[in-house]
Amino acid sequence: SGPPPPSEIKNILTATVSQEISNRQKLFTTDPISPGSIFFLPNGTKIFNKLTQFMRLQQLNPKFGFQEVITPLIYKKSLWEKSGHWDNYQKDMFRVEGQDIQKETYGLKPMNCPGHCIMYAKNDHSYQELPLRFSDFSPLHRNEASGALTGLTRLRKFHQDDGHIFCTPEQVSQEILNCLKFIDLCYIKVFKLSKGYTINLSTRPKDHFIGDLPTWDHAEDVLKRILQDSGKSWNLNEGDGAFYGPKLDIMIKDHKGKEHQVATIQLDFNLPERFNLKYKAMDNTFKRPIMIHRAVFGSVERFLGLLIDQNLGKWPFWLNPYQAVIIPINTKETDQIQASRNLLNKLRGTEEIKDSNVDIAPIPMNSFHFNVDIDERAEPLGYRIKDAIIKNYSYLIIVGENEVSTKTFSIRSREDRKNIQHLTEDEIFNMFCQLEQTYK
Amino acid sequence: SGPPPPSEIKNILTATVSQEISNRQKLFTTDPISPGSIFFLPNGTKIFNKLTQFMRLQQLNPKFGFQEVITPLIYKKSLWEKSGHWDNYQKDMFRVEGQDIQKETYGLKPMNCPGHCIMYAKNDHSYQELPLRFSDFSPLHRNEASGALTGLTRLRKFHQDDGHIFCTPEQVSQEILNCLKFIDLCYIKVFKLSKGYTINLSTRPKDHFIGDLPTWDHAEDVLKRILQDSGKSWNLNEGDGAFYGPKLDIMIKDHKGKEHQVATIQLDFNLPERFNLKYKAMDNTFKRPIMIHRAVFGSVERFLGLLIDQNLGKWPFWLNPYQAVIIPINTKETDQIQASRNLLNKLRGTEEIKDSNVDIAPIPMNSFHFNVDIDERAEPLGYRIKDAIIKNYSYLIIVGENEVSTKTFSIRSREDRKNIQHLTEDEIFNMFCQLEQTYK
Ligand SMILES: [Zn+2]
Ligand SMILES: [Zn+2]
């Protein structure tokens, strides 16, 4: 069957790099027992949880205003028939069946939208409640062909920082502009993607779509107008919209120059129709809300893969599973070992709430817990420093005789071997808190 | 078909109470489109996330020492054949199939254990790494009969605070004792379950088990000895063990007196055998680790249902989706409204990191965000106070002329109408932080 085409080779290279870094840093693994699903190892899970926590916090900002929900993963076939997935998306879905007598057929969800429509439809809504914005971090499953599965960027199981906005026609522009601001906050301000991103406007697919042509034309025009008003540059990507509506796809490039879709903003007049969604307008009539589907990371797994592709394992402090290593200079000196271990416990933040009545008290809510290790191996100092740098620890903390007697520790960053600071336990802890709080 | 048996009536009553409270507090809902799966509404999601966050933090305590992982939800049939689930648990499982040409058959996981065995087996292990403890909050699916589905206590989709400990035979007792301590920390110290809990020792099922009888007898003896040494009282529950090993089930009673299984500790010599798990012992030979399955909440959904059953919607502050309400006395006074809204923003913790260079800056990591509302309705003060108490707000904050001029606010708790404190914005925020940090 010949060599893979050039685009495939690029795919493979990116996947190889992230797998190599993952092996070194013990981030994730895969197994043929579940092709296209990631096993996140403890270090990868730490990064994954930090990313979702970051997103949860930003969604609280009243400028964005999402409310998180947790929704089912399997729904009866009739839901997918109603939503149009069974007609237009079936071969990308996994079918689920009970093995009891009833053998009811379900679909394992590839998207959260129909579930959110069900939730919306459970209550009456007034225009005063809109926009209503649901956020959902559910795992999603899409049956990608096994040949297409690549690293973290194309999977069968993945999580989105998914959100659906139910709003009035008048609110659509502002909501989409807010989504674009959210994307800037994430990609430019916090993750500082050096090459920025491009925007694709993806329009109605040739076949496999629901709804009528005038509705599609209108939705595409709305998106075009918003893009023009925003002053951002964009490309037309004809025929690549979702089956229920056109979308803006945010694309970023990996270090090989291959483009990946990350964030997405989709405008949908069709699902609200199919699920008969309504709100009571100011004039007391019932109107149809408009639905905006949006994700800022897109697939959390893919976003993580692209971070690895960009930083090659040199994580910023707040995301680093290797935030600091403590190296006692002379591992035969019990003073140095003891001081190192005390510092380790302090930085790991495993102190319990003070309570003299119990054997074990809880660790407090919202406390800081840094990923700090100790290297007590009886190896030369230079060897252990070199090893720490290879492992990409953000900070190296050296504990010698001097440090033990003055109770201040020598600390240097991964990058700057010349700038050594001398800080107390509390000063180091507070510096780390400051770095993590501000996503540095 | 006659009236339901008495045990069923108890079930229904408990479910009715929690549904009634859920409706009032907007915690969760269900829909026949996915029987036995919960739709957590924003308020229920807040509680759910707090519970899992509590558990994540406690697992960091080196006395327990779990490492969180994220694992696939679907695995090829061959995994379930190897683990014994296909022979012994098949009718409780959902079968999953791709709808492409290959139509490979998968099982939707009812338990995390086989996935964790796969992860363990991917690397060589030395006795020095043991005990190795994986934690996992994956959603699980079990195909319960539709007649058995009840409220939050019996579901088809649920999440466990699941964990698997891989250890040497010498470590088993200590690990199980630590699990019991973890359970005490949770049930007695933090959640203060007034009636405590009982322990059942569940032994080998009559049929549907794997492994040989001497192994089972040994495992049951180990658990009996640990129970005797612990000095705790326990009951024998013959034939109710898991198909792979005997277990200790922690039982608590709902307000109707019905017992529910919550935490569980299971001792397993069989899965390590089936997955050919090994570690290199001190004498350089390869030995078989022992596996302990354990969950402290058990099903997070069931635990949450039992909390509702116990508190009837009067949540402790840290879990309350209604932590405080701010009531301006005279809603026509713009000063009072403005002071109330400023306080609202402060307590919701939606302040961005200070950064003059950007339009929108991120909300900091690990910040506090209280569930605070404002009641600006033009209703009499007494009416709004009564309504706030019905809604079970933990604190009521009243803002009048006096409060605006002194910049201190009247705050009282739900329980104690006579004890009114006068606190500044910062004092209220700090008091709330203190309450939440210490799980009050
Ligand atoms: Zn959607
Ligand atoms: Zn298990």
Side-chain angles (χ1 to χ4, degrees), chain A residues 113 162 164 244 293:
Chain A
C113 353
D162 203 5
H164 293 99
Y244 45 75
H293 311 238

PDB file of all heavy atoms in Angstrom, chain A residues 113 162 164 244 293, ligand 1:
ATOM      1  N   CYS A 113     -24.878  18.129  23.039  1.00  0.00           N
ATOM      2  CA  CYS A 113     -25.980  19.032  22.701  1.00  0.00           C
ATOM      3  C   CYS A 113     -27.367  18.454  22.968  1.00  0.00           C
ATOM      4  O   CYS A 113     -28.194  19.128  23.594  1.00  0.00           O
ATOM      5  CB  CYS A 113     -25.883  19.522  21.256  1.00  0.00           C
ATOM      6  SG  CYS A 113     -24.400  19.067  20.377  1.00  0.00           S
ATOM      7  N   ASP A 162     -17.038  21.700  26.901  1.00  0.00           N
ATOM      8  CA  ASP A 162     -18.165  21.976  26.027  1.00  0.00           C
ATOM      9  C   ASP A 162     -19.126  22.976  26.665  1.00  0.00           C
ATOM     10  O   ASP A 162     -19.236  23.047  27.888  1.00  0.00           O
ATOM     11  CB  ASP A 162     -18.905  20.666  25.763  1.00  0.00           C
ATOM     12  CG  ASP A 162     -19.721  20.698  24.494  1.00  0.00           C
ATOM     13  OD1 ASP A 162     -19.649  21.698  23.771  1.00  0.00           O
ATOM     14  OD2 ASP A 162     -20.435  19.717  24.227  1.00  0.00           O
ATOM     15  N   HIS A 164     -23.097  25.117  25.808  1.00  0.00           N
ATOM     16  CA  HIS A 164     -24.199  25.493  24.930  1.00  0.00           C
ATOM     17  C   HIS A 164     -24.901  26.717  25.483  1.00  0.00           C
ATOM     18  O   HIS A 164     -25.241  26.755  26.663  1.00  0.00           O
ATOM     19  CB  HIS A 164     -25.179  24.323  24.768  1.00  0.00           C
ATOM     20  CG  HIS A 164     -24.570  23.181  24.018  1.00  0.00           C
ATOM     21  ND1 HIS A 164     -24.056  22.072  24.653  1.00  0.00           N
ATOM     22  CD2 HIS A 164     -24.323  23.014  22.697  1.00  0.00           C
ATOM     23  CE1 HIS A 164     -23.540  21.251  23.739  1.00  0.00           C
ATOM     24  NE2 HIS A 164     -23.690  21.795  22.546  1.00  0.00           N
ATOM     25  N   TYR A 244     -25.747  20.366  11.834  1.00  0.00           N
ATOM     26  CA  TYR A 244     -26.854  21.198  12.322  1.00  0.00           C
ATOM     27  C   TYR A 244     -26.624  22.695  12.150  1.00  0.00           C
ATOM     28  O   TYR A 244     -27.510  23.497  12.433  1.00  0.00           O
ATOM     29  CB  TYR A 244     -27.138  20.882  13.795  1.00  0.00           C
ATOM     30  CG  TYR A 244     -25.877  20.780  14.614  1.00  0.00           C
ATOM     31  CD1 TYR A 244     -25.171  21.924  14.976  1.00  0.00           C
ATOM     32  CD2 TYR A 244     -25.347  19.540  14.973  1.00  0.00           C
ATOM     33  CE1 TYR A 244     -23.988  21.835  15.684  1.00  0.00           C
ATOM     34  CE2 TYR A 244     -24.167  19.441  15.691  1.00  0.00           C
ATOM     35  CZ  TYR A 244     -23.499  20.590  16.043  1.00  0.00           C
ATOM     36  OH  TYR A 244     -22.323  20.506  16.728  1.00  0.00           O
ATOM     37  N   HIS A 293     -23.197  26.439  20.090  1.00  0.00           N
ATOM     38  CA  HIS A 293     -22.321  25.406  20.641  1.00  0.00           C
ATOM     39  C   HIS A 293     -20.928  26.023  20.675  1.00  0.00           C
ATOM     40  O   HIS A 293     -20.503  26.622  19.692  1.00  0.00           O
ATOM     41  CB  HIS A 293     -22.236  24.177  19.740  1.00  0.00           C
ATOM     42  CG  HIS A 293     -23.559  23.640  19.266  1.00  0.00           C
ATOM     43  ND1 HIS A 293     -23.948  22.357  19.528  1.00  0.00           N
ATOM     44  CD2 HIS A 293     -24.562  24.188  18.528  1.00  0.00           C
ATOM     45  CE1 HIS A 293     -25.132  22.138  18.972  1.00  0.00           C
ATOM     46  NE2 HIS A 293     -25.531  23.241  18.348  1.00  0.00           N
TER      47      HIS A 293
HETATM   48 ZN    ZN C   1     -22.966  20.929  20.805  1.00  0.00          ZN
END
